[in-house]
Structures are given as structure tokens and as C-alpha cells.
Amino acid sequence: MTDQTSQNTSEVELLSFRLADEEYSVDIMSVREIRGWTRATPLPHAPAHVRGVINLRGTVLPVVDLSVRLGMAPVEGDARNVIIVVQVGGQTAGLLVDAVSDILALPRSELQTPPELAADTAHSFIEALTIVEGRMIRVLDLTAVLPDDTAEAA
Amino acid sequence: MATDPMAEIRASFFIECEELLESLQDALSEMDEGSHDNETINIVFRAVHSIKGGAGAFGLDALVGFAHRYETVLDELRSGRLDVSPEAMKLFFHAADLLQDHVRAARDAGPSPEGSEDCLRELEALIGGAPVEVEEEVTDFQPMGLSFDLDLSEDLDLAGPASQGGGCRLSLRPSAALYASGNEPLHLLRALTALGPARITCDTTDLPDLATLDPEQSYLAWSVDFEGEPDEDDLREVFDFVEDVCDYEIEYGAPEAVPPELELSDLDLSAGASEDPEAEEGFGFFKEPPDAVETAPKQPPAVVAPASGAIPAPADPAPREASKENAKEAAAPASEPSATVRVDLDRIDRLVNLVGELVINQAMLAQSVAEAGLPPNSAVMTGLEAFMMLTRDIQDSVMMIRAQPVKPLFQRMARIVREASGAVGKEVRLRTEGEATEVDKTVIERLADPLTHMIRNAVDHGLETPEKRRAAGKTAEGVITLSAQHRSGRVVIEVSDDGAGINRPKVRQIAIDKGLIPADTVLSDAEIDNLLFLPGFSTADQVSALSGRGVGMDVVRSAIQSLGGRITITSEPGKGTRFSISLPLTLAVLDGMVVSVAGETLVVPLSSILETATLTADDIRSLGPETNVIHVRGAFVPLYDLGAELGYRRPKTSYDGGIVLLTAQENGARSALVVDAIMEQRQVVIKGLQRSYGHIPGVAAATILGDGQIALILDPADLVQNATGRTRGADLALAG
């Protein structure tokens, strides 16, 4: 999805957000909306990163704790946290993050492929890296974060 | 319009076909009941005829061929040259079934159904096997412009020189709907002149000039002066298919043969050209093509008003002769479009969803108003209460949109009965009751398979052979009754036969032979009857083509249960068997018990709960090292801790004083689910989880509660199947 929407243009717009003290971002074209934190109803037999489901104007929306998904400590879940509603392929899901920080417009050429490094969980989810005002920002590959079947092996 | 307009017209033709087939079945059933009046026979004839006409326009040759030959035989019936015998009725029904197959085959571009040739031959044998005469059909529409002479359009003399002093004058004025439905006055005029020499005069007085002419409207009228006196019935027959859309009047005697003087000045160049577009619109076969519907309200009253004004005073628009035809014609265009509206199911579902939202929103609003501490009789509170009532009403009305009468389903069953009884050589009559009962569309769709199976069972196993029936002092013809009715918020559908009833010793023996029950079990009659629902049970001595393929009543029962329904069986030896299915009115809402487990709110379908109980220490007996059973009413029931099974918490050390829900599974096995508290019983709106997340063991769906939170709806049977049953050993370190 991210590839399709942005490949043709030379500019790319990213929504950046904080997880722990790191900065991540996703292609803004896949973001549907940003919501305040609401308590999710936990699902039985769900993988640890699936926080549960919330009511998004009448539809049942699964919420993924992005922090757990990337191999870090769970997001605490209070009024400061936000849920970024993203659409990947035909699937809609919520990403629970610490806080949204900025919208960045960058030339595509400034995105760098991440170097091959030691195998940590988060690595395969990162599509590209870039530097903005001296901060390194990771661009997430949403198709990897949210595989077709969110409920993979429970 | 982005899509192919022809494909849309085609699609609406097939929808119309379904309606025609339904009315065909209805009328045939009426005839079968003994009403042989002309109107009923005409309905049958017209249904077949209309299907043929439409099919012709789309070049569906196989369908046209079948319908044409069927129609020819029906025509004999209509004209009274053929009597309605039981054999003929059977053939007519069979042909109607085949016609339906032909329609389906044409729609899905599938192969033509087999056996239609045989059926047609048998049909034609009824009328002496006369070769079908090829007639020029009125409905065989080649686009054909009316050729008017511009300067002389009043003289459409098709029958040679007219003589004065004729015996009969027929005047006709087609309405716009006639053209819109693809008919053509020229054909009518030709058919009329075939009845005798006549002089035809066209009345163009109403024709406006080109600037104000609406090509969708009808401005022309004709009068036909017959020399002789053709039979009135013959004349009326010409208008059989257009009487709704064409005014006509027959006058016997000697009217002045001189037509009203035509003012040529009124008739400018547009006369001939203007009529052509209408005439060439002959491809539209449908009663209400979109255009016609849109233009109908705009229709200036003047067009309808001078209904039969072609006769002496065309200027007088008063419909003095308020004949039956006139009244009908005036009413038809107004009422037809409003009678039914075809709506995409998706749109209705969206509406249902939105209304569900509204209900939830209203509940949230009510909650926050209550929290604000306003006095109960304040304006806000009363307004909110009215709002609540309104939303309830809206929800009910919206649910009703999805509801449909069970009639089409029952008609399908009528066909199953005919086919099944033919296959096993039994005489069976299907009686239906409560066809107008409305049920959710999805329920109807998913009911078709189980009902088919039950009907086949009733024909094959339920009813005896004619010989046995006679020996038992019954009529040779067996009766299967299919009924539907609303009963306390549910729909009850019953299938009953007047056969021999369940052969209980045999059923019991089979169950023992198949190892389903121990040989020494003592069973009540009802318990024996219920053995039929056990998987892998089949009572037929011989495996027939109809039933007894190892797929038994257990499949029927699980299909019904998946719809949230229950099925019960009652039987009386020698009198018959009755299956009773009780179904919820809709699949969109569910009656549930809202419970709380480990701080989470869950909904358990009320249909699966037998009873609730509070446990005492004496009730609980340990079974294995980690499992418990409880002793309820003389039986041991496995105990499951919902909180532990769903991974919310570890099993408790003691369940003394705990609350359990006793649930029954499809196979009759019971289980006890431990919950922390029972909050309330209420209807909840079902929200699917499958699409957004996938299947979760033990969870059927989700719902949204009044506070906007999502609660899971449990599927107790699935839960128990996947359950560990750990209700002890809290000290053991459990994974997670």
C-alpha cells in the first residue's frame, strides 16, 4: 500500500509519532484518522501485541500495541496515548502509540534503506530511515506490522 | 451511467421473471384448488406470455421456444377447448418448474434443463399434439416505426375502401405507458382489421407543436369503424395485454362514420417524426423503465383526461364515460411505482448499522445526562425519553425492511414435494399456511436447505405408500402441511405430515444397532423421537435417491441452531409427525444475558442458557486433578470457569457461592459456566468479528454496549469444545 501510493511522486508525507523515546513514522496515505485513547476490550487467545478491540463508530476495530509488536515494553494506556487508525490492504486496524508528533514532507530521495544489522524483532518492520533536524526517524512497513491475518498463531 | 444499460435492463427482466413465476405458481395452485375461472387462467397465461415476450427481446431462444409451446397449450385452456384435469394440472406444474429452470439457465448462461422436450410433448398431447402454429406474436418486437403520411395521417386504411353505415366503432387512445412498455398501436390496429373490414382514422387533435412536444408522451388516438359487427369479446381480446395502458371503447349501432375534421394547420412537420421515437422505443419490455417512472409525475393531466375523447367531441376532456378501463388506467400509473421499491441489500444493511449506532449513541447520551444529575422531570430528560422511544421505533421499522414473507420459500418447497413424491411414487399434497409471515431475509435464505431436507424426509419416511394409507383407512393422498406464524417474538415454522408417525421400536432398535445408545437404556417416547437428531442416524430401510444419504436430521438441527433456532419433534403413531422450528425474527439482534467475568463484560446468548444457579460447596465434586463437576438435578455437569477459559484470570481456589450458567449444547450435553455476576438480560446488536479480526475460539461475535464499550458474545458450544476445564490447581503456574 505504502509503495503504491507514494512511488509515483517524488515527495513523501509521513506522520511521525513517539514510541518510548524513539521516533517512528508511517506513510500518511495509509492513515485514516487519529483517536484518543479508549479502553480496548481484550480478546481471549489473542497474541500479546493485540491489545483488544474498540468501537470505532459502530465497527469493531482491532488495536495493536505497536510497542509490543516492535519488541518493546507495552504502552501504558492512559489519556496521553493515541490510537492511529490505519488501513493496509483491505484491513483497518488501530495502532496504539505514545503520542503523535508531526507531519513531515520529504523528498523520496532522503529515505534510506536500513542497513542489514543484527536480527532483532523491530528490524524487519522498518522500511526506511531518514534524518530530520538531526533526529533519526524510522519509517514503518505497515504490511509487515499488520499481516493479512492479524490473528496469527495465538 | 457507467455500467452497461443493457445488462441492467436484462437484470431487471430476470427480476421481473421471478415475480411472474411466482404469480404463475400462485395461479396454478389456485387452479389446483379448484378455481377454474377465466381470471386465474389468464394470470397463468399472461405470466408465461410476458416471460416469452421479454425473452424474445434478449434473444433467449431456448426460453422463448419453451415458453411459446407452453403458452400454446395454455391458450387452448384459456379458450375452453381444454379441460382442467388433475393430470393436466400436474403437467402444468411440471412445465412451470421447467420454465423456472429455463429462466435460471438463461440468466446464468447455463445449460438448458433436461426433460423439457418430454414435458412439452406430453403437454401438446393434451391438445392433440397439434403442431405449434407459428403466429406473428404481438410481443415479437422488431423496432418498427409507424409510417405516417405527413399530410394525411388520419387515413390509415388497412382494410380497403371503407363503406359508410358501419355497424361498430371502436376508438382507442394509447397512454404513454403503452409505448413505454414496448407495445405498439400498429399491431393492435392490424389485429383489429383482421376481425373485419374497417376504416381506421387517426385523431391528431391533441398533438402539440414541435416546441412543446414531449416525445415520451402519447398524443394520438385512433377510431376504427367496422363495416360489419364483430363480436365484442373478440374485440376485447385484442386489448388483453394492453388494457391497463390503452383506453378503448366499443360502440355498436351506426355512429356517424365521418371522423372529426382534422385541422391540418395543427399538424406541422413534427407529426410523423415525433411519433417515431416512441414507436421505436419498443425494446423496453418493462412496466416501468426508469424513464417512465421519472416522467410519470411530470405527466400533464391533460393527457390522461381526454381519455376517450376521440369520438364526437375531442375538445371535451371530461372523462364522462368513467368506464372500468378508464378508472383502471388512471389509477395504474399512480399506484404502480409506489407499491414496491427494489433496494440494494447493502443499502439496507448500512441503514441497519446506522440505526444500531443511533441506539448506542442514544444510550450513551442518556448515561451522561443521568450522570450530570439533572432532575428527572427536566425538559432534557423528557426530551431524551421521547428520543429513546423514537429510536426504538426506528430500529423496529428498519428491521422490518429486511423482513420478507416466507412465501417464495414455501413455493420452492411445493416444487420439492412434487419432485420428491414423483420419485417415490406417493401422492402428496402440500398445504401451506401463513405464507405472509415475515422473517429476516438471511433467515429465509439459510432455512431453504434444512427445510428441503425435512420436506423430503416427510415425503420419503413420513408418509406411507398409497396402499398402506388405504389399508389404514386414510385417503390415498398424503398431506404435508407447512406453516409459519409469529409467536412471542419468534417465528415458528412447522412441517407436519399425516403419515404413520415415528416407528419408535424401530428407531430404538436402529440406535442400538448403530451403537448410539446402550441396548438396555430405558427411554421415554420423546427421548426416542429425539434419537432422530443423533449424527449418523437413518431410518429408511433402503437408501433411496431422496434421503438417507447419511446426512440426517442432525445436520438439519445444527443448521437451525446456527440460526439461533430450536427444533422439536412430536409424533403420534398412525396420525403423523410434526417438526416445529422456532427462529429469531432477525439475525441482527440477539437476546443475551449480560454477565461480568474478571472485570470484563460478556454476553451469553439466552437461547443456549438452560438455567442459572448459585453454587454451594456441596455441589462441587472434584473429577481429575484440575477439573471439577457439579451435581445438578441428579446429573454430573462439567464445570468451566469462563474467566480462566478466556485467559482473563487463573482458576479460583474455591467456587463456593459462585454463580453458574447451565448451558445445553447441540448434542444435548450440558455444561456449567462460572461467571462473577449476572448484570441483565437484554437485546444486543450483533457485530461481526470475523471481518476485522478473525475467528476467536469460543467467541461468536461482538456487540457494543450502552457505554460504547465492546462486549464479546460467547458461543458456549465452541467454548466448551476448546476448553481446558481447569477449575482447580490455582497454585500451579499457568502459562500466560
Side-chain angles (χ1 to χ4, degrees), chain A residues 38-47 50 52-62 90-92 148-152 154, chain B residues 353 357 360 364 599-601 645-648 687-689 691-697 699 702-704 708-712:
Chain A
T38 37
R39 200 192 86 92
T41 302
L43 297 176
H45 312 292
V50 175
V53 285
I54 60 165
N55 166 19
L56 178 70
R57 286 186 304 279
T59 49
V60 178
L61 182 83
Q91 192 191 6
T92 309
D148 269 349
D149 185 10
T150 315
E152 43 176 33
Chain B
N353 269 335
E357 264 338 270
I360 291 160
M364 289 163 73
E600 297 295 333
T601 308
E645 296 302 341
L646 296 174
Y648 294 151
K687 299 271 175 189
L689 265 178
R691 266 201 5 228
S692 59
Y693 184 77
H695 177 72
I696 304 168
V699 177
T703 186
I704 298 173
Q709 282 285 315
I710 290 183
L712 300 178

Side-chain angles (χ1 to χ4, degrees), chain B residues 212-244:
Chain B
T212 55
L213 183 131
D214 178 352
E216 301 270 332
Q217 287 306 338
S218 167
Y219 299 107
L220 299 178
W222 287 269
S223 52
V224 184
D225 295 300
F226 288 97
E227 281 173 34
E229 291 201 4
D231 187 46
E232 188 177 342
D233 287 345
D234 288 344
L235 288 176
R236 293 204 184 272
E237 199 178 316
V238 171
F239 293 91
D240 244 11
F241 292 99
V242 292
E243 64 185 350
D244 292 346

Side-chain angles (χ1 to χ4, degrees), chain B residues 490-553:
Chain B
R490 291 173 80 86
V491 179
V492 178
I493 294 179
E494 289 187 337
V495 180
S496 55
D497 61 57
D498 66 345
I502 291 173
N503 185 343
R504 295 201 174 104
K506 191 170 148 194
V507 165
R508 191 188 140 89
Q509 193 53 48
I510 289 173
I512 293 170
D513 292 349
K514 299 205 173 197
L516 298 171
I517 52 167
D520 54 353
T521 324
V522 180
L523 292 173
S524 68
D525 284 354
E527 280 171 323
I528 295 178
D529 293 348
N530 277 308
L531 290 176
L532 291 183
F533 291 119
L534 286 180
F537 190 94
S538 180
T539 49
D541 289 331
Q542 287 175 313
V543 174
S544 68
L546 268 187
S547 42
R549 266 164 282 177
V551 185
M553 290 301 292

Side-chain angles (χ1 to χ4, degrees), chain B residues 677-690:
Chain B
I678 293 172
M679 329 243 293
E680 60 177 330
Q681 247 179 47
R682 59 175 287 180
Q683 274 202 337
V684 295
V685 178
I686 299 175
K687 299 271 175 189
L689 265 178
Q690 301 275 359

Side-chain angles (χ1 to χ4, degrees), chain B residues 110-135:
Chain B
S112 287
E114 290 169 17
S116 44
E117 191 57 40
D118 295 344
C119 172
L120 285 172
R121 276 210 204 95
E122 284 180 56
L123 268 177
E124 280 159 8
L126 287 176
I127 56 167
V132 182
E133 83 252 49
V134 181
E135 46 182 306

